[in-house]
Structure formats: C-alpha cells, structure tokens
Amino acid sequence: MVGKTTRPWLAGTYFTIAAMALLLCLAATAAASTGGAPTAAGSPPPPGSPSGTPASDAPSAGALRLISAQTTPRKSFYYGFRYPKLSFSIASSQAQNDIRIDVVDVAGASVRTFFRNDVAPEAETAIRWDGTTNDGRAAPNGRYTFQISSQAGALAARPATSSEASSLGFAFYGYAFPLLGDHDYGGSGAVFGAGRSGHTHQGHDVMAECGVPIIAARGGTVQYSGYHSAAGNYVVIDGKGTTFDFMYAHLAEPSPLKTGDTVRTAQPIGIVGDTGSATACHLHFEIWTAPGWYEGGSPVDPLPYLEKWDRYS
C-alpha cells in the first residue's frame, strides 16, 4: 500500500448520480438493520443522558408500577448513530418519586446508573445510554437490559401479563462487521501474509458481490479518503477509543466521506467494488496498530476480528 510520502491526490468527491442514489438507499437499509447512521454525512453521535445525582435527602418513592416501557433499537454499537434509549412512565402511590435506572448485564450486575428525582406519575422519562460504564469505560459486548426502581431499592412492579421484561433488553457491541450482505473469506490468496508481487498481503480479502454496502467496523475520524493504483478507492478510519486504524479498499466509487470527517460505528462508507489492482469484487480490510496506518504502526491479521464480528452481525 501507499505510504504518507507517496500518497496520491484525493479522488473526486462526487459519485455518479446512479451510484449516489444507490448509496443513499443502502444507507437507509444499514440504519434499519444495524442502528447505523442513515446518511453518508458524518457527525458525532448525540450525547448520552447525564447520570444525575441521588436525592440529597432520604430518597422517597411510592409503590411503583410501570405503565409503559420500551427500549430502542434492539442492537446498538459503541460510538454508533443510535444509542440504546429507554422511554418509560410509572404509576405511583405518591406525587413525586426518586427513581433509579440501571443498565444491567446478563449476570445481573449494574454497569451504569442514572438517577432522576421528583418524577411524577404518568410523566414520560427517557434515558439514552452512550455505552460507557460508571467509571467511563466502554462497556463490553453483550446483552443488557434497563432496570427501573426506587432509589430506596424497590423494583418497579410489572403487571402479571406484562411483556415489558423482554422489551427492555438489547444487544450492545463495540464493533460491527463491515459488510451488509452475503460474503465469504476467500481462498489462500485472500489471507493476511499471502504473497504478492514485491510484498506480502497486509489485510484480508472478504469476497462479496460488487454493490454490497460497506459500513464502518468502528467509528472515529477519517484519516484518508482517496485513490491509489493498487488499493483503488479506499478509506482509512482512526478508530474512536482504540489504538487501531481501519483501512477499506477497492470501493466501487470514491467514498462520500472526506479526510477529517467523523464516522459512526456501522455507518455506511461505500460499496464493494473491484477498483485498483483487484481482479474480483471484494473488500480488502486492514487493521493497523498504534501509532497508526503508515505512521509507524504495523498491520495485524484482521481475520480473527472479522470472524468474531461476523458471529453477532
């Protein structure tokens, strides 16, 4: 691949009319299926809800019962477009209630806590979780649920026939598999370290039909977006909160994202192609360690990561 001192001029930033229309359509598909950004435009994710503070006096709440509660979407990603959001309302035996909302993992442990004081019955309350734990770290992959209780510790009751328990659960992941479509991992020539003319293969080739949507495995900042005679149309993203850079090559058209743009996890960034030196439609995918792609870092075998992300996508 090309180094910093030999980077080519960036390719033009506009798609053909047909390609742009296709990408926007695919972006909408990605939003529906992954919680990713619905357009190609980049911007930081919306902020998560503040944690709040417990009631300063002795917390007070009546006998709580959930009237309604829902979590959307069912699958979310760290630094993604749509954070897990809980919307709920309560019934209570008193007019003001000090409420606690926990994000709970499958073991029943609370990873993040929110406090809301003086909540009135039947008033809708919303909590948006940004995927960070109480100590500010990114939460691990897994299934979670929101749990609503008084600050004194009594859980909000549910009707005997309620389906609210299942509606509050969701899956949360740090990375997304970068293709939205049928694919395979190719033969011996597709793997990391395979022989190439004058060098070894620095990534893994994921085989897919031309036109399959490509999404960001991890959000962050676009480090490069351009064209190279070998890589074709390519994008490099500096992964948010990681030590990795992620490189996507052989895109069918130049990505609408430009150097410096913000990208969210699972956001559409282009479509599979065979530009550059590719002899078949596929995504060439690289992962580079710190300090980064052609900045002193080193490429690592991306296949174990791809296979892991593929299992839950």
Side-chain angles (χ1 to χ4, degrees):
M1 299 306 301
V2 62
K4 274 191 163 183
T5 57
T6 59
R7 279 200 315 273
W9 292 98
L10 293 179
T13 58
Y14 296 100
F15 283 97
T16 63
I17 294 175
M20 178 61 83
L22 176 60
L23 183 57
L24 292 176
C25 177
L26 295 174
T29 302
S33 61
T34 69
T39 71
S43 61
S49 296
S51 296
T53 56
S56 55
D57 300 322
S60 177
L64 302 179
R65 178 172 57 85
L66 284 178
I67 299 174
S68 64
Q70 184 179 26
T71 300
T72 55
R74 292 299 186 191
K75 182 190 293 185
S76 298
F77 297 93
Y78 179 76
Y79 206 67
F81 179 72
R82 297 180 64 197
Y83 289 148
K85 180 182 178 181
L86 167 69
S87 299
F88 73 94
S89 60
I90 59 167
S92 176
S93 57
Q94 68 182 48
Q96 301 293 327
N97 302 272
D98 298 327
I99 304 295
R100 170 174 171 155
I101 303 99
D102 288 283
V103 179
V104 178
D105 65 19
V106 292
S110 174
V111 299
R112 181 68 182 272
T113 302
F114 301 88
F115 297 97
R116 295 295 182 266
N117 301 323
D118 300 327
V119 176
E122 301 185 16
E124 183 169 299
T125 301
I127 297 293
R128 182 188 290 118
W129 180 47
D130 65 1
T132 59
T133 63
N134 285 321
D135 60 5
R137 299 182 181 183
N141 289 352
R143 294 203 59 83
Y144 295 87
T145 188
F146 285 104
Q147 181 175 279
I148 303 159
S149 62
S150 73
Q151 290 183 24
L155 291 175
R158 305 172 187 271
T161 59
S162 173
S163 62
E164 298 293 354
S166 59
S167 71
L168 300 189
F170 60 93
F172 181 82
Y173 302 107
Y175 299 85
F177 186 76
L179 290 178
L180 292 179
D182 293 339
H183 58 274
D184 65 63
Y185 291 104
S188 59
V191 302
F192 180 82
R196 293 290 189 269
S197 178
H199 68 285
T200 58
H201 199 215
Q202 294 180 324
H204 192 97
D205 292 339
V206 185
M207 313 307 293
E209 292 185 2
C210 281
V212 168
I214 301 170
I215 61 175
R218 180 74 166 216
T221 302
V222 177
Q223 190 167 344
Y224 304 109
S225 180
Y227 183 88
H228 181 260
S229 60
N233 298 305
Y234 72 101
V235 179
V236 182
I237 298 173
D238 183 0
K240 173 74 173 180
T242 77
T243 59
F244 294 137
D245 286 351
F246 304 90
M247 189 268 201
Y248 310 76
H250 306 309
L251 279 60
E253 298 284 347
S255 174
L257 296 169
K258 305 176 182 67
T259 299
D261 279 356
T262 296
V263 184
R264 306 176 192 182
T265 305
Q267 176 178 329
I269 61 174
I271 57 178
V272 170
D274 56 0
T275 57
S277 62
T279 57
C281 297
H282 70 277
L283 168 65
H284 171 88
F285 182 72
E286 298 180 7
I287 299 178
W288 284 66
T289 62
W293 185 79
Y294 287 101
E295 295 179 319
S298 300
V300 297
D301 185 359
L303 183 58
Y305 299 91
L306 289 166
E307 291 177 328
K308 178 180 179 180
W309 306 336
D310 204 358
R311 283 193 289 271
Y312 59 69
S313 295

